Amino acid sequence: MSADEHLDPIPDSFILQPPVFHPVVPYVTTIFGGLYAGKMVMLQGVVPLRARRFQVDFQCGCCVHPRPDIAFHFNPRFYTVKPHVICNSLQGGLWQKEVRWPGVTLKRGASFLILFLFESKEVKVSVNGQHFLHYRYQLPLSRVDTLGIYGDILVKAVGFLNINPFLLYSPRLEVPCSRTLPRGLWPGQVIVVRGLILQEPKDFTLSLRDGTTHVPVTLRASFTDRTLAWVSSWGRKKLISAPFLFYPQRFFEVLLLCQEGGLKLALNGQGLGATSLDQKALEQLRELRITGSVHLYCVYC
């Protein structure tokens, strides 16, 4: 690959973000790919018995000083005679005109499930399955890249949901699936595989082959013993010491990043180490082949 050639970037909306369980509050995290119309954020937790207030902020950055702009500030308050929710935006360090929503169904000592659905001009919020409020943005949704949770709240789970991000780009692919690598792999090149594990899976393999059908390296997931391993051309297996992150009827994302001396692996946004392969072997690879108990929606290489 010549110096003036560039790889196409991976679309941000392709990136899957795994859920977070029992985070410590205050909790601040990046929103993979930012916010856009159709994206949902789920918040599940409990309001403590002595809670006064908590807030969920959809922020434009995560710095502490100066305080980042906030496109949507969701702030339930329980210390007043009539508990209510305040919605607002923060711009340039100044709060804008707040909107008060009475009749909040969140209660001290009770569990809750809140869904934030982001549309092109407003966000809709449901609490425990019932629509509660809508709020028109005062800042562009495209600027939001951070979620912040603060105050009196016990968070059980935070989830980031798309309107089927796979089907937005391509129909389901046939399995086994093969893709050519006409120039082999070079440092900086990325392979992305996205799909859905079948209900009763057996295995899933991703193999890289050279022009003579030799298979220098294979990534294999076995559902029988719940192991993930690199398999060499002569059959030697090297187990990957990490939690098994494939689950029946769940979406997955495998990323392989080519670097000097091998391939780095990430699964569902979590780095799982690397495997060694010399540069000459990487350059001689000509085919990516995927088999196993999966539906495929995206293969990018």
Side-chain angles (χ1 to χ4, degrees):
M1 182 178 291
S2 62
D4 59 347
E5 288 182 299
H6 301 282
L7 294 168
D8 292 333
I10 301 172
D12 286 339
S13 50
F14 270 175
I15 302 175
L16 285 181
Q17 184 163 359
V20 178
F21 299 101
H22 303 286
V24 176
V25 176
Y27 176 70
V28 179
T29 187
T30 297
I31 302 171
F32 289 9
L35 286 184
Y36 48 84
K39 193 156 189 173
M40 297 177 66
V41 175
M42 178 201 76
L43 177 62
Q44 187 175 10
V46 177
V47 179
L49 284 170
R50 297 184 179 181
R52 290 180 56 80
R53 54 182 287 168
F54 71 84
Q55 65 193 65
V56 181
D57 291 341
F58 293 90
Q59 306 173 183
C60 308
C62 58
C63 61
V64 177
H65 299 290
R67 190 174 182 181
D69 288 349
I70 300 173
F72 178 47
H73 168 78
F74 178 83
N75 176 207
R77 299 180 180 182
F78 305 98
Y79 56 85
T80 60
V81 176
K82 296 182 179 181
H84 57 276
V85 172
I86 295 294
C87 295
N88 208 338
S89 298
L90 182 72
Q91 188 170 13
L94 299 175
W95 288 107
Q96 307 302 299
K97 183 178 180 180
E98 71 177 30
V99 181
R100 178 177 298 207
W101 295 84
V104 62
T105 56
L106 297 166
K107 299 184 183 300
R108 287 172 168 167
S111 298
F112 63 81
L113 175 65
I114 303 174
L115 286 176
F116 300 92
L117 171 60
F118 293 90
E119 298 184 343
S120 58
K121 295 183 179 180
E122 65 179 9
V123 56
K124 294 180 178 178
V125 181
S126 69
V127 178
N128 299 330
Q130 299 293 321
H131 175 76
F132 176 57
L133 64 83
H134 58 274
Y135 179 79
R136 192 174 182 88
Y137 311 126
Q138 299 182 48
L139 293 172
L141 186 62
S142 59
R143 290 187 56 201
V144 179
D145 58 10
T146 303
L147 168 67
I149 304 173
Y150 314 89
D152 304 323
I153 180 176
L154 298 175
V155 179
K156 292 183 177 180
V158 181
F160 303 87
L161 314 172
N162 295 311
I163 298 178
N164 204 334
F166 304 99
L167 297 180
L168 290 175
Y169 294 91
S170 62
R172 200 163 76 191
L173 306 173
E174 289 188 7
V175 179
C177 178
S178 179
R179 290 289 184 270
T180 58
L181 303 169
R183 299 179 180 178
L185 291 180
W186 295 78
Q189 193 165 348
V190 178
I191 291 175
V192 184
V193 177
R194 297 184 178 87
L196 177 74
I197 302 297
L198 299 186
Q199 186 170 0
E200 297 180 357
K202 294 181 179 179
D203 59 20
F204 166 61
T205 63
L206 188 158
S207 57
L208 292 164
R209 307 174 178 221
D210 62 21
T212 62
T213 70
H214 181 66
V215 185
V217 64
T218 296
L219 177 67
R220 178 173 297 158
S222 171
F223 292 88
T224 304
D225 54 8
R226 297 182 60 77
T227 59
L228 185 63
W230 295 106
V231 183
S232 67
S233 56
W234 55 90
R236 184 178 179 183
K237 183 186 294 186
K238 180 183 177 183
L239 292 176
I240 296 171
S241 56
F244 191 75
L245 299 177
F246 290 104
Y247 298 95
Q249 295 187 300
R250 297 282 184 89
F251 288 110
F252 69 88
E253 175 187 70
V254 175
L255 282 84
L256 291 175
L257 172 63
C258 181
Q259 59 178 5
E260 291 286 352
L263 296 166
K264 277 189 173 181
L265 169 67
L267 177 59
N268 296 346
Q270 298 189 29
L272 299 181
T275 187
S276 299
L277 206 62
D278 65 69
Q279 186 57 40
K280 184 177 179 180
L282 289 168
E283 293 173 13
Q284 290 176 345
L285 295 173
R286 290 295 180 267
E287 181 187 8
L288 165 69
R289 186 170 175 82
I290 303 159
T291 62
S293 308
V294 298
H295 290 316
L296 288 179
Y297 293 100
C298 170
V299 178
Y300 177 97
C301 55

